[in-house]
Amino acid sequence: MEWSSYHRLEDIHGYMDYLAETFPDVCSVVSIGNSVEGRPLKVIRISNGKANAPALWIDGGIHAREWISPAAVTYIINHLVENSEDLEADYYILPVANPDGYEYTFTRDRLWRKNRKRSVGSQCTGVDLNRNFGYRWGGLGTSKDPCREIYAGSGPFSEPETNAIRYFFEASAANFKAYLTFHSYGQYILYPWGYDKRVPPDYADLEMVGKQMATAIKKAGGANSVYTVGNSATTLYAASGGSDDWAKAILKIKYAYTIELRDTGKYGFVLPARYITPTAKEALAAVMVVTEACKSL
Ligand code: ING
Ligand code: ZN
């Protein structure tokens, strides 16, 4: 894999399978389910087998058009596997959480956001997977209209893509301490809640580690790599049914963040490929800060 261009789903999945075949002692790939159109939801587990390691979940590509997210997440995978002897946590990584939407942005509509579910009784297609998780589903910042970009679906976890993530966590015995979901764009480090402007009881910890991430990102990326830290609803806008709210409230995973990668609007979702490597280095710096925070829990 190289990071000078954006890759199709097949390339990303092929790269994951290649890593699992080449480095069977440190990584393995499982499909946690299938998308609406039957594409696998591939998760790579990276671990060097050290006992009592905390586990981190990382996903990308929940929103189809946010191409920098799967690109940065695959870069993180590459780094973790290449430096596996130093790992201090176990990582479970889903680089493309919305594979149907992702492929659709290559073949039909570069700015598609949702999955590809056909709605009964509507001409419109697609559920916003980041409104479909089962905590405070259907609240502020969502829509019941299948034609809207923020359509929350017919019910919580109505979509196979979100349901597969839920099922994975129900079945997993790993000791998850962090849930990081990568989006674009805007350069934000967001923590719960998204459903309204309240904050969790331990928000001071989330704020502190968030600020540490922002500092590490600036160091990695330079003067323009300024990321704003705060709770989602206050910093950006209210949105219910997001994955980070569910991870925090239901799974009780302490460090739940939505990270909005580059840029701040010049190119938006259509970030030129020359920015993949610098942006991915920022994302990696954030992951390393969270890993460190998880170790001391
Ligand atoms: N932004 C997120 C969205 O789903 C978000 C922002 C995340 C808001 C979590 C609230 C909670 O709308 C993008 N770019 O998708
Ligand atoms: Zn998004």
Side-chain angles (χ1 to χ4, degrees):
M1 179 110 329
E2 42 75 28
W3 287 269
S4 56
S5 66
Y6 292 105
H7 295 281
R8 298 288 291 265
L9 182 72
E10 193 182 37
D11 292 3
I12 294 172
H13 283 173
Y15 176 62
M16 295 166 75
D17 292 336
Y18 154 80
L19 290 175
E21 264 175 45
T22 313
F23 308 104
D25 295 342
V26 282
C27 56
S28 54
V29 171
V30 292
S31 174
I32 63 166
N34 286 104
S35 64
V36 167
E37 293 176 349
R39 295 184 176 88
L41 298 161
K42 287 196 183 199
V43 169
I44 187 165
R45 173 181 186 268
I46 306 170
S47 166
N48 61 13
K50 276 191 195 131
N52 303 319
L56 285 81
W57 168 269
I58 300 172
D59 68 56
I62 279 222
H63 290 138
R65 63 192 172 194
E66 299 167 10
W67 283 8
I68 188 61
S69 162
V73 171
T74 52
Y75 183 96
I76 290 165
I77 291 171
N78 174 261
H79 175 91
L80 295 174
V81 173
E82 281 191 347
N83 297 278
S84 61
E85 63 283 357
D86 304 328
L87 295 186
E88 302 187 272
D90 298 342
Y91 298 87
Y92 294 79
I93 307 181
L94 170 63
V96 190
N98 175 12
D100 300 345
Y102 188 66
E103 282 298 287
Y104 195 75
T105 60
F106 282 86
T107 57
R108 299 279 172 185
D109 177 357
R110 175 65 185 84
L111 292 179
W112 189 258
R113 167 176 167 98
K114 301 184 282 181
N115 77 348
R116 293 295 301 162
K117 170 69 80 60
R118 309 262 296 252
S119 289
V120 180
S122 166
Q123 289 304 306
C124 294
T125 300
V127 170
D128 183 346
L129 296 176
N130 210 32
R131 302 292 182 276
N132 191 243
F133 286 78
Y135 182 68
R136 304 246 171 183
W137 179 85
L140 291 176
T142 73
S143 174
K144 290 183 160 55
D145 177 355
C147 297
R148 296 277 308 275
E149 291 280 53
I150 54 171
Y151 174 49
S154 58
F157 296 113
S158 58
E159 303 311 295
E161 296 88 355
T162 52
N163 197 45
I165 295 171
R166 169 173 69 163
Y167 188 80
F168 168 82
F169 278 96
E170 278 175 6
S172 175
N175 182 20
F176 283 102
K177 299 289 185 201
Y179 188 111
L180 305 180
T181 180
F182 284 100
H183 288 252
S184 73
Y185 57 92
Q187 300 181 190
Y188 294 102
I189 295 164
L190 304 171
Y191 55 82
W193 304 111
Y195 76 86
D196 84 358
K197 292 189 175 178
R198 298 155 51 110
V199 289
D202 62 345
Y203 84 95
D205 298 342
L206 289 156
E207 177 77 24
M208 184 186 70
V209 173
K211 289 223 165 98
Q212 290 171 356
M213 282 193 258
T215 302
I217 285 170
K218 188 133 189 253
K219 219 168 158 185
N224 289 320
S225 299
V226 176
Y227 281 58
T228 306
V229 182
N231 81 300
S232 314
T234 309
T235 309
L236 203 50
Y237 45 74
S240 312
S243 64
D244 55 350
D245 277 12
W246 170 74
K248 182 79 182 160
I250 306 296
L251 301 177
K252 314 270 187 234
I253 296 175
K254 182 171 179 79
Y255 292 115
Y257 292 97
T258 298
I259 301 176
E260 301 275 357
L261 296 169
R262 291 195 200 183
D263 57 9
T264 56
K266 182 166 200 255
Y267 298 106
F269 301 116
V270 193
L271 188 71
R274 64 180 176 277
Y275 297 110
I276 295 172
T277 305
T279 308
K281 285 180 178 164
E282 296 170 359
L284 176 61
V287 169
M288 289 305 143
V289 166
V290 178
T291 300
E292 202 55 37
C294 289
K295 269 169 53 191
S296 50
L297 280 183

